[in-house]
Amino acid sequence: MRNTKRGTYLHSKRELWGLFILLLYTSPLSCSSNFSHLIYKIKEGLPKGTLIGAIGADLKLDLSVNPPRSFNLELKTASQQYVNLNNTTGELFTSAVEIDREALCAESHEGQGCAIFLDVLILPQQYFQLVKVKILIEDVNDNRPHFPVDEIRVSVPENAPVNARFAVEQSAVDPDIGIHSVQTYWLVNDYGVFTLDVEENEGGELTPFLIITESLDRETQAEYVTDIIAEDGGSPQLLGTATLRIIITDVNDNCPKFAESLVNVTLYGNATKGMQLAHLQAYDPDEGANALIKYAFSERVTQESRILFHLDTNTGVLKLAGKIDNNTGKLYKLIVLANGPTCIPEVATVTVHVIKQLSGPPAVIPRYIASEKDGVVSLSESEPPFSPIAFFTIKNTEPQQKIECLLEGAGPFRLVPYEQFKNEYLLETTELLDYEQQQDYEMVVVVRNAHGLVVNTVVKVHVLDVNDNAPVFKQSFIDITVEENNPPNTFLAQLQAIDADSECRGEVYYLLGADAPTVFDLDRSTGVLTVSTSLDREEKETYRFMVRAVDRGTPRKESIATVIITVQDRNDNSPRFINKDFTFFVPENFPGFGEIGVLTVTDADAGENGWVALSILNGSDIFVIDTGRGALRAKTPLDREQQGTYYVWIEAIDGGEPALSCITMVTVLLLDVNDNPPTVLFPQSNQSFMLVLPNTLPGTSITEVYAVDRDTGMNAVIAYSIIKRTDGEPGSFDIDPYTGNITLRKALSNRGLYSLWVKVRDHGQPELYSTILVNLFVNETVSNETLIQSLLPRSVDIDHGELPPDKEGRKGEQVPNMCGEYQVLLLALTATCLGLFLTVVSLVTYICCKKRKPKKKRLDIEIPLKLNHEMVDKNPMEISNI
């Protein structure tokens, strides 16, 4: 349905909607002209005070003359009520009476137009002039189309072919003209079987035609009710509405059918004439003359039977028409035909068994309290218990005769004597009826007299349904599973609720609860639940909301169920380490299988898709990793002096199918511990010696002790000291504690062998050291080397851990400067930290370069565990200063 509003026009006092001026003069324009025509054009509905035209200005009259001109309307006509005339200027204005074109010119047709005619006199006598004024009234869209009746009926035969056309004679009318009149028609609901077409006749009138687009069946749907809309061409458009009732008329496309084709009747010999024996009922779904059924006996029914029994040709009621011989029993077989127009007769067989009676049976007269039709009583299931159904009066009994009256048949009914009246019985309910459990009951009221004569009266009760049941979901909790990453509009489930009521009371439609997310859609009619978008389990795993099932009864009843949607995981997330790479610092000689570090890895998936296994791609002969905790361990203690840095590649693989994985690099940096004492490279043994000339000047460098330490940092900083002297002149030689350089302290006066025990220690914790014997032979030449070898000590029996450096305080001997030693230690520590910093920078650069390399297939990767660091050969002095 389109919504339209009537346009509201706002006008200022001086605004003119349309002005069309036509000046017609009977003679050339001059001051002596005494007759003129003026034509103005305005729209209807203008507000009071809107200027129509200025007669004086339009006739180009001089309004400043003396005496002045005056403008007057000649006669008082009906047209004058719509205008006001300014007597001085001759200006015409609209009056308070609004001009309605449709009311003013109701009898004129569209081609004649609508106008107001005025005669204006210009006075005084010397200026006299008669002005004929014609005001043309233009139409505006101020009327909506309307139909002559509120409901339009169109009859369509059910066998009308597709594209058949039926005129809707009561077409809409619109008092407006032109484009403002009716322009088109349309249906609010075409039911998929109708459409509208519009035809224009020679007079310009539009007539809507109903067109059939699909086949019709009156037995399926007998009529269609919708709204027909007439729409004009104004702006905005105005609409007119009427109810269109499309009645599907019947054609004879069905034949009669008997409800029961075999009927058994028991008739007692003393039955009275006119007694109804049976009511044969045939049904024809058609209507009117097409559903007319005529009942007749078959030609095979004997003449005797035709005389004894009467069949009503219109109702199918079979009655006893003659007298039955009370002393004989007999069986009659009656064949009854149901005839419909152009149909083959339907056949039913009535078997009448006449039972011989010695005396007349009692007569049972039913009187129904509840609604009854054709022997069937209709009761609503909402009727309370003990609701009365019918009275049964027993007649044809002897005064002293004892009558037995009882009810046979199952159901919540009872037959009781009515108060104190004799032979009066009341049939009533004993409890609430339930349409959903049973809709029809058949009982027999049995009356038996003292002679044993029995009369059976059949009572049928039909239970009428009320809306006493709410729809019931098959499950109150509906569990649904769907895999994540599903395509949009995926089918989830079809909800089913059952309403035990009948007809519209049992029709169910489905609604989502207010808590349902907008991504779910539920079809009102079918109950099909779909999801309009793709779901992500990692975003939300479970959805829980309510759904409603509502019936169409009055009042409406509903029930609710809870829908629980579980999003199943798919392996769409790779494992992820919490860091891009890992670096662990471990002291060397760390115990085997000790925990070096823990690699934390996560997988957003669930179940097997989220199970992660870790493995080492390289170096599995040195390292192992705990799959559960991600702990990295070394199989054996590691020696920094053999290799200081290890690069281990770890792969994380999840348990999905196909499996997803990721790789990270772990850098293991071994921290040095002081596990290597200094190694003296020179002198090479305690049995070597050096020749020193006696005239060597004090301060001369004689030789040096050269040692190296495989450790790093403070563990590799070496200090030299003399711990024992065996020279003849104590304090003759000094040793530099930092370089190991031995210098002559004072002039030598004695010749012979000088032996110095030198202690070479590092600065680690614990402190480690080595000793070396430095032999100096003071002489001009070495004339007898064998003698010198004999003078050399053969063994070292000094406890190096207990002997302090020689501090005898000999002349010229100095104790090493401790402040200078601390400065050297500080410099060594600084150099060590700088070296570590450069190592870390180099490592980060190496890792970045590795990551920028293009990826290869896993089988093609060959990742080295050790880097080939080649030791650059250095001279002994450079090594000692490391």
Side-chain angles (χ1 to χ4, degrees):
M1 177 67 71
R2 305 179 186 173
N3 294 322
T4 62
K5 295 182 179 179
R6 183 176 177 178
T8 303
Y9 298 93
L10 300 176
H11 307 277
S12 64
K13 185 175 181 180
R14 299 293 299 173
E15 182 179 0
L16 184 62
W17 277 90
L19 177 60
F20 172 76
I21 303 172
L22 177 61
L23 299 177
L24 298 175
Y25 302 97
T26 57
S27 61
L29 185 59
S30 65
C31 294
S32 61
S33 300
N34 57 8
F35 181 78
S36 299
H37 267 170
L38 289 178
I39 299 177
Y40 298 103
K41 190 176 184 181
I42 62 172
K43 292 185 181 292
E44 65 173 322
L46 294 178
K48 177 184 177 182
T50 302
L51 178 64
I52 299 174
I55 298 174
D58 294 338
L59 294 178
K60 299 181 181 179
L61 301 178
D62 185 2
L63 301 180
S64 62
V65 298
N66 192 18
R69 288 183 171 87
S70 69
F71 299 83
N72 302 279
L73 291 172
E74 179 185 12
L75 299 172
K76 291 294 183 180
T77 62
S79 299
Q80 294 180 16
Q81 63 178 325
Y82 300 110
V83 298
N84 291 328
L85 176 64
N86 187 314
N87 300 101
T88 304
T89 63
E91 292 178 327
L92 278 172
F93 298 93
T94 56
S95 68
V97 179
E98 183 180 291
I99 299 175
D100 184 0
R101 190 198 65 82
E102 290 75 30
L104 182 63
C105 303
E107 299 180 357
S108 63
H109 56 78
E110 182 176 344
Q112 290 178 335
C114 183
I116 296 174
F117 298 92
L118 301 173
D119 288 342
V120 179
L121 298 179
I122 302 176
L123 300 173
Q125 187 65 33
Q126 60 267 38
Y127 309 128
F128 173 78
Q129 200 170 352
L130 173 62
V131 181
K132 294 284 188 179
V133 178
K134 181 180 181 181
I135 303 174
L136 298 176
I137 309 302
E138 285 188 332
D139 182 47
V140 298
N141 193 29
D142 57 348
N143 292 279
R144 64 178 61 251
H146 68 276
F147 289 88
V149 293
D150 293 333
E151 181 176 288
I152 303 172
R153 292 173 172 259
V154 176
S155 296
V156 177
E158 65 176 321
N159 62 347
V162 175
N163 296 324
R165 302 166 66 88
F166 298 88
V168 182
E169 298 296 345
Q170 294 93 340
S171 57
V173 294
D174 191 332
D176 296 326
I177 61 173
I179 192 64
H180 299 148
S181 63
V182 177
Q183 299 297 313
T184 187
Y185 294 85
W186 44 279
L187 294 177
V188 173
N189 184 2
D190 59 12
Y191 293 96
V193 295
F194 302 106
T195 188
L196 274 186
D197 189 18
V198 180
E199 291 185 4
E200 182 176 359
N201 61 18
E202 296 178 356
E205 295 179 349
L206 298 180
T207 300
F209 280 80
L210 184 69
I211 300 177
I212 311 302
T213 60
E214 296 291 340
S215 299
L216 303 173
D217 184 2
R218 189 202 63 81
E219 287 74 35
T220 301
Q221 186 165 351
E223 68 176 14
Y224 299 83
V225 180
T226 183
D227 287 339
I228 182 172
I229 307 298
E231 181 180 297
D232 66 19
S235 180
Q237 293 145 327
L238 301 180
L239 306 178
T241 305
T243 300
L244 179 61
R245 186 177 299 273
I246 305 170
I247 301 170
I248 310 303
T249 59
D250 185 51
V251 294
N252 191 25
D253 54 352
N254 292 280
C255 288
K257 294 291 182 181
F258 275 110
E260 292 180 329
S261 59
L262 294 175
V263 179
N264 293 313
V265 177
T266 299
L267 186 61
Y268 295 94
N270 60 349
T272 58
K273 183 178 180 181
M275 178 182 177
Q276 179 174 324
L277 303 180
H279 186 187
L280 303 176
Q281 287 183 316
Y283 298 93
D284 191 331
D286 296 326
E287 65 177 5
N290 297 325
L292 185 62
I293 301 174
K294 291 292 185 179
Y295 300 91
F297 285 125
S298 171
E299 294 295 332
R300 290 180 287 175
V301 176
T302 64
Q303 187 63 30
E304 178 189 358
S305 298
R306 292 174 183 269
I307 295 173
L308 189 58
F309 301 102
H310 174 265
L311 177 65
D312 192 308
T313 59
N314 294 320
T315 65
V317 173
L318 181 65
K319 293 183 178 181
L320 182 62
K323 184 174 177 58
I324 297 294
D325 187 357
N326 189 34
N327 297 318
T328 60
K330 193 174 183 180
L331 185 67
Y332 295 91
K333 190 172 183 180
L334 308 176
I335 299 176
V336 179
L337 304 179
N339 297 293
T342 68
C343 287
I344 298 174
E346 179 74 0
V347 178
T349 302
V350 180
T351 302
V352 181
H353 183 205
V354 179
I355 299 175
K356 180 180 178 181
Q357 293 291 325
L358 297 177
S359 63
V364 180
I365 302 175
R367 289 177 292 169
Y368 294 100
I369 301 172
S371 176
E372 180 268 345
K373 183 179 180 181
D374 297 330
V376 179
V377 179
S378 297
L379 277 179
S380 172
E381 65 176 336
S382 61
E383 291 289 340
F386 307 107
S387 296
I389 299 174
F391 276 114
F392 291 91
T393 302
I394 311 301
K395 291 187 177 183
N396 196 25
T397 61
E398 298 177 1
Q400 302 301 323
Q401 186 179 15
K402 184 179 178 181
I403 297 297
E404 182 183 4
C405 186
L406 55 91
L407 184 67
E408 291 182 352
F413 306 95
R414 71 177 183 176
L415 186 66
V416 295
Y418 184 66
E419 298 182 355
Q420 301 301 320
F421 293 98
K422 186 178 181 181
N423 296 335
E424 295 280 354
Y425 293 87
L426 177 65
L427 178 64
E428 61 183 10
T429 62
T430 58
E431 60 188 54
L432 283 172
L433 302 177
D434 192 347
Y435 174 88
E436 287 70 34
Q437 292 185 2
Q438 188 169 347
Q439 294 86 40
D440 297 284
Y441 296 87
E442 183 169 313
M443 299 159 288
V444 179
V445 176
V446 180
V447 179
R448 182 180 294 107
N449 63 12
H451 301 290
L453 298 178
V454 178
V455 175
N456 295 331
T457 303
V458 177
V459 179
K460 295 182 180 180
V461 177
H462 176 68
V463 182
L464 300 177
D465 187 32
V466 297
N467 193 33
D468 59 342
N469 291 280
V472 178
F473 282 98
K474 290 187 175 180
Q475 297 173 302
S476 58
F477 288 87
I478 303 168
D479 291 314
I480 301 172
T481 58
V482 58
E483 281 195 347
E484 66 176 337
N485 306 326
N486 57 287
N489 300 316
T490 295
F491 171 86
L492 297 179
Q494 184 170 13
L495 309 183
Q496 287 187 326
I498 299 175
D499 193 321
D501 294 321
S502 62
E503 299 179 354
C504 66
R505 295 174 292 275
E507 295 178 8
V508 180
Y509 62 94
Y510 303 87
L511 298 173
L512 288 173
D515 59 341
T518 57
V519 299
F520 297 101
D521 295 319
L522 180 61
D523 189 283
R524 288 173 60 97
S525 302
T526 63
V528 172
L529 181 64
T530 58
V531 57
S532 61
T533 187
S534 181
L535 300 179
D536 186 358
R537 188 205 65 83
E538 287 73 33
E539 180 179 339
K540 189 170 183 179
E541 185 174 3
T542 303
Y543 295 85
R544 185 188 183 102
F545 54 88
M546 310 297 290
V547 291
R548 299 164 52 206
V550 186
D551 66 24
R552 300 183 184 274
T554 303
R556 298 195 175 186
K557 294 182 178 293
E558 70 177 56
S559 63
I560 61 173
T562 301
V563 176
I564 303 172
I565 298 177
T566 303
V567 183
Q568 291 183 334
D569 186 60
R570 298 182 66 180
N571 194 27
D572 58 345
N573 291 277
S574 301
R576 292 183 179 274
F577 290 93
I578 60 171
N579 298 327
K580 293 183 179 179
D581 48 59
F582 297 82
T583 301
F584 300 123
F585 294 89
V586 183
E588 67 175 329
N589 302 325
F590 191 72
F593 294 97
E595 185 176 289
I596 295 174
V598 176
L599 284 74
T600 302
V601 61
T602 62
D603 193 320
D605 294 323
E608 293 184 359
N609 296 330
W611 295 350
V612 179
L614 300 176
S615 61
I616 300 175
L617 298 181
N618 65 327
S620 58
D621 55 337
I622 298 176
F623 296 94
V624 294
I625 190 164
D626 183 352
T627 299
R629 291 186 59 245
L632 183 66
R633 307 174 191 273
K635 295 180 179 179
T636 59
L638 303 178
D639 189 357
R640 188 204 61 79
E641 285 71 29
Q642 293 183 6
Q643 184 172 339
T645 303
Y646 293 85
Y647 300 96
V648 183
W649 293 89
I650 307 296
E651 183 182 37
I653 304 177
D654 64 23
E657 184 63 33
L660 302 177
S661 65
C662 68
I663 298 175
T664 188
M665 186 182 76
V666 179
T667 302
V668 180
L669 297 176
L670 297 181
L671 301 177
D672 186 55
V673 297
N674 195 26
D675 60 343
N676 290 283
T679 301
V680 179
L681 301 180
F682 185 84
Q684 295 180 354
S685 71
N686 292 335
Q687 301 301 312
S688 62
F689 67 92
M690 178 178 283
L691 179 64
V692 180
L693 298 178
N695 59 353
T696 302
L697 297 177
T700 301
S701 175
I702 303 302
T703 186
E704 70 173 354
V705 178
Y706 179 69
V708 295
D709 196 321
R710 294 177 62 190
D711 297 322
T712 61
M714 295 303 296
N715 297 331
V717 177
I718 298 175
Y720 302 86
S721 62
I722 299 174
I723 60 175
K724 186 176 180 181
R725 305 169 187 266
T726 61
D727 52 337
E729 298 180 36
S732 299
F733 299 92
D734 283 336
I735 189 167
D736 191 303
Y738 309 116
T739 64
N741 189 31
I742 297 176
T743 58
L744 184 62
R745 182 176 180 182
K746 61 182 180 179
L748 299 172
S749 57
N750 298 327
R751 289 171 174 76
L753 183 64
Y754 292 76
S755 297
L756 305 176
W757 286 102
V758 177
K759 181 179 180 180
V760 182
R761 64 182 178 86
D762 59 25
H763 285 73
Q765 290 295 331
E767 176 184 284
L768 302 179
Y769 64 88
S770 301
T771 59
I772 191 67
L773 182 62
V774 178
N775 299 305
L776 301 176
F777 184 70
V778 180
N779 201 7
E780 286 79 8
T781 61
V782 178
S783 58
N784 191 350
E785 185 173 348
T786 303
L787 177 62
I788 298 173
Q789 291 291 338
S790 65
L791 297 176
L792 296 176
R794 295 301 175 188
S795 64
V796 181
D797 56 355
I798 301 175
D799 186 357
H800 302 301
E802 298 177 356
L803 289 176
D806 187 11
K807 296 182 180 180
E808 298 174 346
R810 299 177 182 177
K811 183 178 180 180
E813 188 173 6
Q814 298 180 354
V815 177
N817 188 345
M818 296 305 294
C819 294
E821 182 177 354
Y822 289 148
Q823 292 176 354
V824 172
L825 291 176
L826 182 61
L827 290 174
L829 181 61
T830 303
T832 301
C833 295
L834 181 60
L836 287 174
F837 174 76
L838 294 176
T839 301
V840 172
V841 171
S842 302
L843 180 59
V844 172
T845 304
Y846 174 78
I847 292 173
C848 294
C849 293
K850 279 287 186 180
K851 289 184 177 181
R852 290 174 183 172
K853 292 181 179 181
K855 296 183 179 180
K856 299 180 180 179
K857 294 183 178 179
R858 179 179 170 187
L859 296 177
D860 297 337
I861 295 178
E862 196 171 309
I863 303 175
L865 173 65
K866 301 179 181 180
L867 297 178
N868 295 326
H869 299 285
E870 295 183 357
M871 181 72 74
V872 179
D873 293 333
K874 299 181 180 180
N875 57 46
M877 184 62 68
E878 294 172 331
I879 296 176
S880 66
N881 291 331
I882 294 178

